[in-house]
Every structure is written in C-alpha cells, then in structure tokens.
Amino acid sequence: AFAVNGPYFAEDGPLGLVVSSGVSRNRQGSRRAAHFLVDEPGKLPRIVNERGTDVAGVREGFQGFPAIMTARKTYSYLRTGGRGFDVQVADRRTAACTTDGGEMIFLATDTWIGGLALSELATVMGALGCVDGMAFDGGASTAMWIQGKREVRGLDNVPVIVGVVAITEDTPAQ
C-alpha cells in the first residue's frame, strides 16, 4: 500500500545495520544512532535513537542517520551543525517519526529546487506532533509510492525500502 526508500548506502550495499526476516546484516555503525525497528508483523514500528540498540527479537529494521528527535527533544547538532554534515543545506528528504498515540508518520519531500534543511525537517516533525524521529537517505534516493503509484520520483536504485501493507483478518500470518 505504501513504500519509501530506506537508509544510506554505498555501491556495495546499505551503511550500518539491516535486519531482514530476523537476520542481522552488516555491523551496527557507531555514528549512526537512529534505528527504525519492527518487532513482529502486526506490531507498530518504533524508532530508537541510541547507539548499541539491542535488536534481539527484531524482525525488520535498519540503522539510519541522523537521529532527529527523542522524547520531543531535537538534537542540538541539528541547530549547530557538525557530525560531518551541514544541517542548513536544503535537499530532498525522507524521514519517519512516531507520535504520542503510537502512529508512524512518513515524510518525503518532492522538490528538485530547494527542499528542506535538516534543521527545518526537525521543525516540521515538531509541528506534526512527533515524539521520536529520524531521517532516512535523502537527495536522489528520496522516493515514495502510494497504492502502487509513484508519488515522489527517486533517481537512485536503493537496496532497502520500507513497505507498509494493510493487515486484515484475512491476511495470512507471516
């Protein structure tokens, strides 16, 4: 029903930890502290923004960068910069966050001119009522599909996507 691109990657695959069907691949990177995790089918995803996150029992997930907010608090580097990236550069962005009610919000910007700076992304997430949030790969990787229709066109082939399907009483167990 819905899909967006996942974490940053290089020519040889995703950067940082990826969990697929309960199997961990790649090492957990020390600088990439944001994690998008799904514990089991039918459970809501969660975002954990801490180094060395325990992924035992996680069914699907990946490590991303940067962590945007935890418990409604935006990380200071999103205001001041550092960590090897410029937080004021506007670009296409893909991100996700959770709300107090447990909902997951996905964001993808669709612009080739301007876009959002990471500091602006944090402001948008706060305005949406986000509690915990993280960025996924952005720029040319940003893409979004809704009901099989490409809503935001990406330029890169990405190795990891986040897919969401509706679960009904008739959905077979996975």
Side-chain angles (χ1 to χ4, degrees), residues 2 18 20 22 28 47 57 59 62-63 83 88 93 107 110 114 134 147 153-155 167:
F2 168 83
V18 173
S20 179
Q28 208 171 28
I47 293 174
R59 175 121 175 115
F62 60 84
Q63 191 173 13
R83 294 210 164 187
Q88 301 303 324
R93 303 287 176 201
L107 303 95
D110 186 15
M134 66 181 283
Q147 299 295 338
R153 181 179 280 296
L155 296 179
I167 296 178

mmCIF file of all heavy atoms in Angstrom, residues 2 18 20 22 28 47 57 59 62-63 83 88 93 107 110 114 134 147 153-155 167:
data_model
loop_
_atom_site.group_PDB
_atom_site.id
_atom_site.type_symbol
_atom_site.label_atom_id
_atom_site.label_comp_id
_atom_site.label_asym_id
_atom_site.label_seq_id
_atom_site.Cartn_x
_atom_site.Cartn_y
_atom_site.Cartn_z
ATOM 1 N N PHE A 2 2.059 1.177 0.565
ATOM 2 C CA PHE A 2 2.901 2.358 0.719
ATOM 3 C C PHE A 2 4.357 1.918 0.825
ATOM 4 O O PHE A 2 4.651 0.899 1.440
ATOM 5 C CB PHE A 2 2.481 3.088 2.006
ATOM 6 C CG PHE A 2 3.436 4.147 2.443
ATOM 7 C CD1 PHE A 2 3.375 5.410 1.894
ATOM 8 C CD2 PHE A 2 4.396 3.884 3.396
ATOM 9 C CE1 PHE A 2 4.261 6.394 2.294
ATOM 10 C CE2 PHE A 2 5.283 4.861 3.809
ATOM 11 C CZ PHE A 2 5.209 6.128 3.244
ATOM 12 N N VAL A 18 21.212 -3.713 9.092
ATOM 13 C CA VAL A 18 19.935 -4.007 8.453
ATOM 14 C C VAL A 18 19.459 -5.335 9.016
ATOM 15 O O VAL A 18 20.226 -6.290 9.088
ATOM 16 C CB VAL A 18 20.050 -4.101 6.913
ATOM 17 C CG1 VAL A 18 18.744 -4.565 6.290
ATOM 18 C CG2 VAL A 18 20.479 -2.773 6.316
ATOM 19 N N SER A 20 16.562 -8.223 8.373
ATOM 20 C CA SER A 20 15.558 -8.683 7.418
ATOM 21 C C SER A 20 15.140 -10.095 7.790
ATOM 22 O O SER A 20 15.984 -10.977 7.917
ATOM 23 C CB SER A 20 16.142 -8.652 6.003
ATOM 24 O OG SER A 20 15.204 -9.106 5.063
ATOM 25 N N GLY A 22 14.387 -11.208 10.578
ATOM 26 C CA GLY A 22 15.026 -11.587 11.830
ATOM 27 C C GLY A 22 16.523 -11.818 11.758
ATOM 28 O O GLY A 22 17.161 -12.119 12.758
ATOM 29 N N GLN A 28 26.568 -2.738 13.229
ATOM 30 C CA GLN A 28 25.937 -1.529 13.723
ATOM 31 C C GLN A 28 27.004 -0.444 13.761
ATOM 32 O O GLN A 28 28.007 -0.582 14.442
ATOM 33 C CB GLN A 28 25.367 -1.787 15.123
ATOM 34 C CG GLN A 28 24.195 -0.940 15.457
ATOM 35 C CD GLN A 28 23.551 -1.407 16.750
ATOM 36 O OE1 GLN A 28 24.202 -1.963 17.625
ATOM 37 N NE2 GLN A 28 22.273 -1.167 16.868
ATOM 38 N N ILE A 47 10.951 3.824 16.648
ATOM 39 C CA ILE A 47 12.215 4.484 16.364
ATOM 40 C C ILE A 47 12.990 4.564 17.664
ATOM 41 O O ILE A 47 12.465 5.020 18.681
ATOM 42 C CB ILE A 47 11.985 5.882 15.764
ATOM 43 C CG1 ILE A 47 11.355 5.731 14.374
ATOM 44 C CG2 ILE A 47 13.289 6.668 15.699
ATOM 45 C CD1 ILE A 47 10.951 7.033 13.731
ATOM 46 N N GLY A 57 15.277 -10.095 18.751
ATOM 47 C CA GLY A 57 13.830 -10.210 18.584
ATOM 48 C C GLY A 57 13.234 -9.281 17.541
ATOM 49 O O GLY A 57 12.043 -9.342 17.254
ATOM 50 N N ARG A 59 12.299 -8.139 13.941
ATOM 51 C CA ARG A 59 12.019 -8.862 12.699
ATOM 52 C C ARG A 59 12.555 -8.110 11.470
ATOM 53 O O ARG A 59 13.115 -8.707 10.564
ATOM 54 C CB ARG A 59 10.528 -9.094 12.570
ATOM 55 C CG ARG A 59 10.091 -9.714 11.286
ATOM 56 C CD ARG A 59 9.379 -10.997 11.508
ATOM 57 N NE ARG A 59 8.887 -11.485 10.223
ATOM 58 C CZ ARG A 59 9.316 -12.589 9.672
ATOM 59 N NH1 ARG A 59 10.195 -13.325 10.288
ATOM 60 N NH2 ARG A 59 8.851 -12.980 8.520
ATOM 61 N N PHE A 62 16.399 -1.133 10.254
ATOM 62 C CA PHE A 62 17.672 -0.646 9.759
ATOM 63 C C PHE A 62 18.151 0.518 10.606
ATOM 64 O O PHE A 62 17.396 1.128 11.353
ATOM 65 C CB PHE A 62 17.608 -0.236 8.287
ATOM 66 C CG PHE A 62 16.631 0.861 7.984
ATOM 67 C CD1 PHE A 62 16.971 2.200 8.145
ATOM 68 C CD2 PHE A 62 15.369 0.554 7.521
ATOM 69 C CE1 PHE A 62 16.069 3.207 7.863
ATOM 70 C CE2 PHE A 62 14.464 1.549 7.229
ATOM 71 C CZ PHE A 62 14.813 2.882 7.399
ATOM 72 N N GLN A 63 19.420 0.782 10.445
ATOM 73 C CA GLN A 63 20.064 1.891 11.126
ATOM 74 C C GLN A 63 20.166 3.039 10.132
ATOM 75 O O GLN A 63 20.532 2.831 8.972
ATOM 76 C CB GLN A 63 21.446 1.435 11.569
ATOM 77 C CG GLN A 63 22.135 2.357 12.501
ATOM 78 C CD GLN A 63 23.421 1.728 13.020
ATOM 79 O OE1 GLN A 63 23.891 0.720 12.506
ATOM 80 N NE2 GLN A 63 23.978 2.324 14.026
ATOM 81 N N ARG A 83 29.192 16.808 13.085
ATOM 82 C CA ARG A 83 28.984 15.401 12.742
ATOM 83 C C ARG A 83 29.209 15.111 11.253
ATOM 84 O O ARG A 83 28.642 14.174 10.709
ATOM 85 C CB ARG A 83 27.585 14.938 13.152
ATOM 86 C CG ARG A 83 27.397 14.926 14.653
ATOM 87 C CD ARG A 83 26.427 13.871 15.010
ATOM 88 N NE ARG A 83 26.530 13.607 16.423
ATOM 89 C CZ ARG A 83 25.908 12.649 17.006
ATOM 90 N NH1 ARG A 83 25.145 11.856 16.330
ATOM 91 N NH2 ARG A 83 26.049 12.449 18.284
ATOM 92 N N GLN A 88 22.209 23.030 7.369
ATOM 93 C CA GLN A 88 21.487 24.127 6.726
ATOM 94 C C GLN A 88 21.306 23.930 5.219
ATOM 95 O O GLN A 88 20.636 24.717 4.575
ATOM 96 C CB GLN A 88 22.196 25.465 6.997
ATOM 97 C CG GLN A 88 22.314 25.795 8.475
ATOM 98 C CD GLN A 88 20.969 25.826 9.194
ATOM 99 O OE1 GLN A 88 19.966 26.251 8.640
ATOM 100 N NE2 GLN A 88 20.949 25.337 10.422
ATOM 101 N N ARG A 93 14.253 15.144 1.193
ATOM 102 C CA ARG A 93 14.367 14.417 2.461
ATOM 103 C C ARG A 93 13.339 13.302 2.532
ATOM 104 O O ARG A 93 12.223 13.425 2.037
ATOM 105 C CB ARG A 93 14.126 15.356 3.645
ATOM 106 C CG ARG A 93 15.031 16.547 3.714
ATOM 107 C CD ARG A 93 16.417 16.151 4.140
ATOM 108 N NE ARG A 93 17.297 17.325 4.106
ATOM 109 C CZ ARG A 93 18.590 17.254 4.032
ATOM 110 N NH1 ARG A 93 19.200 16.090 4.026
ATOM 111 N NH2 ARG A 93 19.321 18.343 3.991
ATOM 112 N N LEU A 107 7.542 10.985 5.928
ATOM 113 C CA LEU A 107 7.636 12.229 5.176
ATOM 114 C C LEU A 107 8.580 12.026 4.006
ATOM 115 O O LEU A 107 9.622 11.394 4.157
ATOM 116 C CB LEU A 107 8.219 13.345 6.038
ATOM 117 C CG LEU A 107 7.520 13.695 7.324
ATOM 118 C CD1 LEU A 107 8.132 12.975 8.488
ATOM 119 C CD2 LEU A 107 7.586 15.178 7.534
ATOM 120 N N ASP A 110 9.115 16.408 -2.211
ATOM 121 C CA ASP A 110 9.109 16.246 -3.662
ATOM 122 C C ASP A 110 9.474 17.575 -4.299
ATOM 123 O O ASP A 110 8.604 18.335 -4.700
ATOM 124 C CB ASP A 110 7.727 15.789 -4.132
ATOM 125 C CG ASP A 110 7.708 15.473 -5.617
ATOM 126 O OD1 ASP A 110 8.782 15.329 -6.212
ATOM 127 O OD2 ASP A 110 6.614 15.380 -6.183
ATOM 128 N N GLY A 114 15.545 23.571 -3.959
ATOM 129 C CA GLY A 114 15.373 23.886 -2.543
ATOM 130 C C GLY A 114 15.281 22.641 -1.697
ATOM 131 O O GLY A 114 16.254 21.978 -1.440
ATOM 132 N N MET A 134 13.594 10.259 12.905
ATOM 133 C CA MET A 134 14.882 10.025 12.264
ATOM 134 C C MET A 134 14.766 10.303 10.772
ATOM 135 O O MET A 134 13.675 10.236 10.206
ATOM 136 C CB MET A 134 15.353 8.582 12.477
ATOM 137 C CG MET A 134 14.482 7.537 11.791
ATOM 138 S SD MET A 134 15.025 5.829 12.057
ATOM 139 C CE MET A 134 16.410 5.706 10.946
ATOM 140 N N GLN A 147 -0.208 3.187 -2.962
ATOM 141 C CA GLN A 147 -1.121 2.353 -3.749
ATOM 142 C C GLN A 147 -0.549 2.038 -5.129
ATOM 143 O O GLN A 147 -1.249 2.064 -6.136
ATOM 144 C CB GLN A 147 -2.489 3.031 -3.881
ATOM 145 C CG GLN A 147 -3.202 3.283 -2.583
ATOM 146 C CD GLN A 147 -3.591 1.986 -1.857
ATOM 147 O OE1 GLN A 147 -3.711 0.922 -2.451
ATOM 148 N NE2 GLN A 147 -3.765 2.090 -0.568
ATOM 149 N N ARG A 153 9.356 10.765 -7.194
ATOM 150 C CA ARG A 153 10.264 10.003 -8.040
ATOM 151 C C ARG A 153 11.705 10.135 -7.555
ATOM 152 O O ARG A 153 12.231 11.221 -7.448
ATOM 153 C CB ARG A 153 10.170 10.487 -9.474
ATOM 154 C CG ARG A 153 11.073 9.732 -10.428
ATOM 155 C CD ARG A 153 10.947 10.197 -11.844
ATOM 156 N NE ARG A 153 9.830 9.699 -12.588
ATOM 157 C CZ ARG A 153 9.600 8.431 -12.924
ATOM 158 N NH1 ARG A 153 10.407 7.502 -12.490
ATOM 159 N NH2 ARG A 153 8.566 8.082 -13.649
ATOM 160 N N GLY A 154 12.318 8.992 -7.278
ATOM 161 C CA GLY A 154 13.727 8.958 -6.915
ATOM 162 C C GLY A 154 14.585 8.725 -8.139
ATOM 163 O O GLY A 154 14.102 8.244 -9.165
ATOM 164 N N LEU A 155 15.848 9.063 -8.043
ATOM 165 C CA LEU A 155 16.778 8.872 -9.158
ATOM 166 C C LEU A 155 17.699 7.678 -8.953
ATOM 167 O O LEU A 155 18.282 7.188 -9.906
ATOM 168 C CB LEU A 155 17.641 10.128 -9.347
ATOM 169 C CG LEU A 155 16.895 11.381 -9.754
ATOM 170 C CD1 LEU A 155 17.859 12.552 -9.869
ATOM 171 C CD2 LEU A 155 16.167 11.175 -11.068
ATOM 172 N N ILE A 167 -3.111 -4.813 7.168
ATOM 173 C CA ILE A 167 -3.330 -6.142 7.731
ATOM 174 C C ILE A 167 -4.792 -6.255 8.116
ATOM 175 O O ILE A 167 -5.296 -5.431 8.867
ATOM 176 C CB ILE A 167 -2.410 -6.384 8.943
ATOM 177 C CG1 ILE A 167 -0.949 -6.370 8.494
ATOM 178 C CG2 ILE A 167 -2.751 -7.714 9.614
ATOM 179 C CD1 ILE A 167 0.039 -6.548 9.607
#
